[in-house]
Structure formats: structure tokens, C-alpha cells
Amino acid sequence: MLDRDARAALQEAMTWAGVYDGAIDAAFGQGTRAAMARWQAQNGFEATGVLTTRQRAELFRQFNAVFDGLGLEVVRDNATGIAMELPTAVLGFDRYEPPFAHFNATGDIDARLLLISQSGDRATLAGLYDIMQTLEIVPESGPRSLDGDRFTLIGEGALQISHTQVWLRDGAIKGFTLIWPAGDEARRSRLLGRMQDSFEWLPGTLDPAEGTGAQDIDLISGLEIRKPKQARSGFYVDASGAVLTTAEAVANCGRITIDEAYEADVVLSDADLGVAILRPRQPLAPVRVAAFQEVTPRLLSDVAVSGYSYGGLLGAPTVTFGQLAELQGLNGEAHLKRLALSALEGDAGGPVLDTGGAVLGMLLARAQDGRTLPDEVSFAATNGALQAVLTQGGITPRVTSDQERIPAEALTDRAGEMTVLVSCWD
């Protein structure tokens, strides 16, 4: 006497109870009847294979007990133009920061919710898809897809799981992100289903001026951006994308990336020299590979360092100009050059170049031995030491004797083509 939806719902509840593993087809065949009998036997009823009204009510009571204490209610948010069923005993509205409405935890469950609402087109949707993958609330592992007028992002972390679904319809982009503690999958998946089924489009989208104010550079609409624990520079040393950088840049990293897009592994690390070689996990095709200058440079000759001075904040390397102050270290170290050049922390690992763009060495990180040196004093590993490390790592360094002098603009272009951002992640 049950209609199709009620029969399908019964099969779904028995699947949840672990007694049914067939299709949710609303057909009460032999498999469904056997599942009913198994549930009856497990719950102290006579195993007839036909549930009574009271037994069916008990099954659904068990099925829906997962929602106890969540305070599920339909919430209509007219500012975002979204209505959906939300766990109001767990989450409460906090603020608008377009394109998000923030709902934060109000109880013991460490959960969060974003309602997403803005005007736009497919390009806007694709941009939002890219931006959201940079947020801390979206762990990097997990399935994700952008398909025409919708996208899905699932981030699976050790402590939390986030599920984002967004749709584009008639010039409006709307959706939600649910962040829920890991290890509570039964409740999370059931709650997610209720939210998806109840999602309703109301008129309008969130006003871009709603709740705006001063924005921290590390935040997007009130959400923290995923950042590496440190970012330094490096440069290409062979045609398949191997990179030379500082050993300090890649020490104790859970993951290493080149230009934040390509994962890499440490091939060799020389702690004494402070140099490391990285190999990208997929072959790259650099526009320019470093050519090491074979001619010994003159003292006080002009040099430049190319590096991500601000740890990638600017999105491209900068070039800092200076002079070669000495062909050895302060204590006479033959493997070092001393530079009269004001470099920043992010520049470490970048190539030191002559006026023609040939590499004279690699800028090293400032010593962490308690010494305080003037800002304009920097040190670089010499070509001889670097080439020995590359040879040890199975790379034949390119060399040049060309001593041409090129304009500063051309030098900056050449430097940028070989310099990369090296990021160390937890």
C-alpha cells in the first residue's frame, strides 16, 4: 500500500541499517523482503519479511536519530536568496562577507557553513572555483570538478571534511559549503543529503557591499588562505625542470611545490653548502635554463639577484641590483662570494647574475648563528661549488663565457624566465 517514494525511502533506511545492499528501486522483491526479515530479527521481531506500520516507524526512528540535537529547520536567508534546511542547534548566523554568509558553531560540534551568493557568469563561476581551492577550509585532497554551470569541491582532511556545491542559473551563482568534523561520516552524509534536497533559490543575490570593511591580505571574504610555512626562490638548471634552491627552503616539508603548481621532490641536499636540488614530479619545459659563467668576475662588478622577495606575494620575481664585494666569505671561504646587495628573506635560492644574465652563483639564506650583519651584506654560493652539487645530482650544468652587457629591462626578463617560487608546506 506504500507509494513509490515511501518504498524507496524504506530501502534507503534499510541500507543505512546495514541489512540491504541492493538498488534503491522501490521494488519489493526477494532481496528487499529478505532485508526486512534481517532487520526484524536484529530488533527482536518475528522475521516475516513484511514490516508492520509500527515496525516501519521504529526503523525510521532509528534512521532519523542521527539528527537528534541538530535542530533541523528551514532557514530563509533573503540577503543571499537561499533557503535550506540547516542544523540551527549547531550553527548560527555570524556575518556577511560577500560572496559568503558565514554561519559558525554555536555548540560542541566544530562545524561551519557558508552560503554562497553572487551575480556572475561562467567566468565568475570558474574564478570562484579556483579561489575556493586556496582556502584553508578546503583541504587539498578530495574529489572536485567544474562542469559547465556547476562545481563540486570536496576537501578531506585529518580533522575536517568540507563539501562545496555551487550552481549558476540565470546570472546568479548560489551554493553552500558545509565544514564538518572528520570521523562523523554517518551524520555528516545524512545531514548533507537533507541540505541538498532542501536547497531553494529565492530572488536576488548577496549585495557586494554587504558587510564589507578592511580586509586582511591573508583573508578572502573573511576566510584564511592556505599558505606555505615558508617560501623561497630557486632557478631552473636543466631542460626537464630541475631546480636549484637552498637546503633551508626545503627542510622538514610535508610537501614541496614549484610555482605553487607543480609538486617536487628533493633529489640532493648539501647541508654544509646550504644547497638543494629539486626534481618536479612531472617534466616541465622551462623557457630559460641557467647558464653558469665560466669567466671569473671582477671585484665591484655589477650583479643582480632574481627572487621572490616577498614570498610570492607579488606573483612574479623581482630583481635587486648590487655589486660583487668579495670573491670569498668573511673567513676566506672559497665556496662563497660576498655581495653588496640588500636582499630579502624570500630572495634566498635565487640566481646571482652578471650584466648579461649568466649565473655567477646562488644567493644563500642569512646565517642563523646569532651574528647580525648589515642589511647590504649577502652571500652567494660560487659556481664551482654549485656545479659540483649538480654533477653529484646527475645534472650536467650549462656554462657560458659570454660577457655581453644587456639593458636592465632585458636582464629582468631573462631572470624572470629562469627563476621560480619554491614553497614548503606542512
Side-chain angles (χ1 to χ4, degrees):
M1 296 177 64
L2 300 178
D3 62 21
R4 178 179 177 82
D5 289 345
R7 293 197 301 271
L10 188 58
Q11 289 177 323
E12 183 181 355
M14 289 192 298
T15 299
W16 168 84
V19 295
Y20 179 68
D21 58 4
I24 308 299
D25 56 7
F28 281 8
Q30 184 176 355
T32 303
R33 295 297 183 190
M36 293 182 190
R38 282 192 290 272
W39 183 85
Q40 287 172 319
Q42 290 176 7
N43 288 272
F45 299 113
E46 182 183 358
T48 64
V50 178
L51 297 185
T52 66
T53 299
R54 183 173 296 177
Q55 290 168 357
R56 201 165 61 250
E58 173 60 18
L59 171 60
F60 281 109
R61 187 198 65 77
Q62 296 174 6
F63 181 60
N64 291 316
V66 70
F67 299 124
D68 289 350
L70 295 185
L72 283 177
E73 293 181 18
V74 173
V75 173
R76 298 176 65 87
D77 188 90
N78 292 320
T80 59
I82 294 172
M84 67 187 308
E85 202 167 16
L86 298 181
T88 59
V90 174
L91 295 168
F93 173 77
D94 183 66
R95 66 194 185 279
Y96 294 113
E97 287 189 296
F100 306 122
H102 294 255
F103 289 74
N104 291 337
T106 57
D108 296 333
I109 299 176
D110 186 17
R112 295 175 68 184
L113 172 73
L114 304 175
L115 295 184
I116 302 168
S117 175
Q118 67 178 127
S119 300
D121 53 18
R122 283 191 171 184
T124 313
L125 184 75
L128 180 64
Y129 176 75
D130 291 337
I131 288 171
M132 293 206 65
Q133 293 184 74
T134 70
L135 301 178
E136 282 284 359
I137 62 166
V138 182
E140 293 179 275
S141 61
R144 50 205 63 195
S145 64
L146 172 62
D147 181 16
D149 293 338
R150 66 182 63 197
F151 72 74
T152 301
L153 283 174
I154 299 174
E156 299 170 340
L159 300 178
Q160 65 181 27
I161 297 175
S162 69
H163 185 109
T164 301
Q165 284 188 267
V166 180
W167 301 268
L168 168 64
R169 183 189 303 170
D170 298 328
I173 295 170
K174 297 185 183 183
F176 68 92
T177 297
L178 175 67
I179 301 105
W180 201 263
D184 190 17
E185 182 58 21
R187 182 159 51 174
R188 186 195 72 85
S189 60
R190 292 284 307 286
L191 173 61
L192 182 62
R194 292 283 289 265
M195 293 171 63
Q196 291 167 327
D197 291 343
S198 64
F199 191 91
E200 181 183 353
W201 288 61
L202 304 178
T205 56
L206 189 59
D207 184 345
E210 185 77 47
T212 57
Q215 185 66 272
D216 190 294
I217 198 167
D218 295 329
L219 302 178
I220 294 177
S221 298
L223 297 171
E224 187 174 355
I225 301 169
R226 186 185 303 110
K227 298 184 298 181
K229 65 179 185 178
Q230 61 190 25
R232 301 291 186 266
S233 302
F235 57 100
Y236 289 121
V237 289
D238 78 0
S240 63
V243 167
L244 199 60
T245 188
T246 67
E248 171 261 351
V250 294
N252 304 314
C253 303
R255 187 170 65 93
I256 300 168
T257 59
I258 296 171
D259 287 340
E260 295 189 337
Y262 309 103
E263 295 200 357
D265 298 307
V266 177
V267 174
L268 185 149
S269 181
D270 186 323
D272 293 333
L273 184 59
V275 173
I277 301 173
L278 305 180
R279 175 71 65 183
R281 293 183 178 177
Q282 62 184 90
L284 305 179
V287 174
R288 186 175 298 274
V289 173
F292 293 88
Q293 180 60 262
E294 288 196 303
V295 178
T296 301
R298 294 179 293 103
L299 286 178
L300 302 182
S301 59
D302 292 332
V303 298
V305 169
S306 176
Y308 283 83
S309 307
Y310 302 96
L313 184 62
L314 298 181
T318 57
V319 174
T320 305
F321 293 91
Q323 288 186 322
L324 177 61
E326 186 56 72
L327 295 176
Q328 59 185 13
L330 292 175
N331 297 313
E333 299 93 337
H335 64 279
L336 296 178
K337 291 184 175 79
R338 179 161 60 88
L339 310 177
L341 180 147
S342 297
L344 297 179
E345 187 177 53
D347 291 316
V352 179
L353 307 167
D354 65 13
T355 55
V359 174
L360 297 174
M362 185 190 76
L363 188 72
L364 295 174
R366 284 185 170 268
Q368 302 296 319
D369 55 6
R371 291 181 300 167
T372 301
L373 296 173
D375 290 342
E376 66 275 9
V377 174
S378 299
F379 293 93
T382 63
N383 277 357
L386 295 178
Q387 291 181 50
V389 170
L390 291 177
T391 301
Q392 184 181 353
I395 296 172
T396 302
R398 297 185 180 184
V399 297
T400 182
S401 299
D402 193 345
Q403 292 185 285
E404 68 171 328
R405 187 182 186 96
I406 61 176
E409 295 81 3
L411 177 62
T412 299
D413 291 341
R414 289 191 184 185
E417 291 171 350
M418 74 174 76
T419 307
V420 301
L421 176 65
V422 175
S423 301
C424 172
W425 307 80
D426 286 324

